[in-house]
Amino acid sequence: MTVVGYQTLDEELKRLKTVERPAVIAAIAEARSHGDLSENAEYHAAKERQGWIEGQIAEIEDKIARAQVIDVSKLSGKQVKFGATVSVVDEDTEEEARYQIVGDHEADVKSGRISLSSPLSRAMIGKEVGEVVEVNTPGGVKAYEILKVEWL
């Protein structure tokens, strides 16, 4: 994963542990004070939320423990690989786009970050400027020409 992706996960983990976890514990304590737990909807909702928060914490901790953090700014080369920011042009529409290839959990197409496992990324890996890649999409095969490979 990229350094930015690692920082984002770390911030989310801290938020869950320092804000969400204490809030749900307080909600459970409040709901307990209302008496009979068997018919207490607030209590059951808070317990369910607690389970979700604990699951998120465990999942993020696992991702962080297994992460290989790569500083993209220290990479270079002409070939497309993980971390590269690639400018492409759609050969049919002449529409240009720019994508950074990132880890699965970091992907956000709207901000130009596509997953390493996406069809477009897989097609571009190992290619260089000037090469054309073809990608199978639900609407048919799309061809993109690689215009630029950057390491930002």
Side-chain angles (χ1 to χ4, degrees):
M1 80 175 59
T2 64
V3 173
V4 172
Y6 180 84
Q7 290 169 342
T8 302
L9 274 182
D10 193 46
E11 288 168 11
E12 176 66 5
L13 181 62
K14 286 176 183 165
R15 185 186 69 77
L16 286 169
K17 285 183 170 182
T18 61
V19 177
E20 297 294 330
R21 185 185 268 168
V24 80
I25 289 170
I28 290 170
E30 172 69 23
R32 274 192 178 147
S33 71
H34 296 298
D36 186 14
L37 299 181
S38 65
E39 295 181 17
N40 188 332
E42 288 176 22
Y43 175 78
H44 293 291
K47 288 296 281 182
E48 189 173 309
R49 175 108 177 110
Q50 181 184 36
W52 182 84
I53 290 169
E54 293 303 325
Q56 290 294 106
I57 289 171
E59 186 177 321
I60 292 171
E61 285 176 338
D62 180 58
K63 284 180 184 176
I64 287 174
R66 293 183 298 113
Q68 254 188 320
V69 181
I70 297 170
D71 186 353
V72 176
S73 65
K74 294 182 179 169
L75 299 176
S76 63
K78 295 180 181 184
Q79 284 191 335
V80 176
K81 55 188 169 192
F82 177 83
T85 300
V86 185
S87 298
V88 296
V89 62
D90 184 321
E91 293 206 321
D92 294 332
T93 64
E94 296 297 317
E95 190 176 314
E96 289 189 23
R98 184 172 155 176
Y99 301 108
Q100 182 181 23
I101 300 172
V102 296
D104 290 340
H105 76 279
E106 300 175 75
D108 180 11
V109 176
K110 290 178 183 169
S111 65
R113 298 165 63 89
I114 59 174
S115 167
L116 181 63
S117 60
S118 73
L120 180 57
S121 291
R122 290 195 317 251
M124 290 192 298
I125 296 292
K127 303 291 192 278
E128 296 183 9
V129 172
E131 290 191 60
V132 175
V133 296
E134 291 186 350
V135 181
N136 288 322
T137 68
V141 176
K142 297 278 257 173
Y144 297 94
E145 180 181 348
I146 298 173
L147 301 175
K148 189 191 293 184
V149 178
E150 301 172 280
W151 304 95
L152 308 173

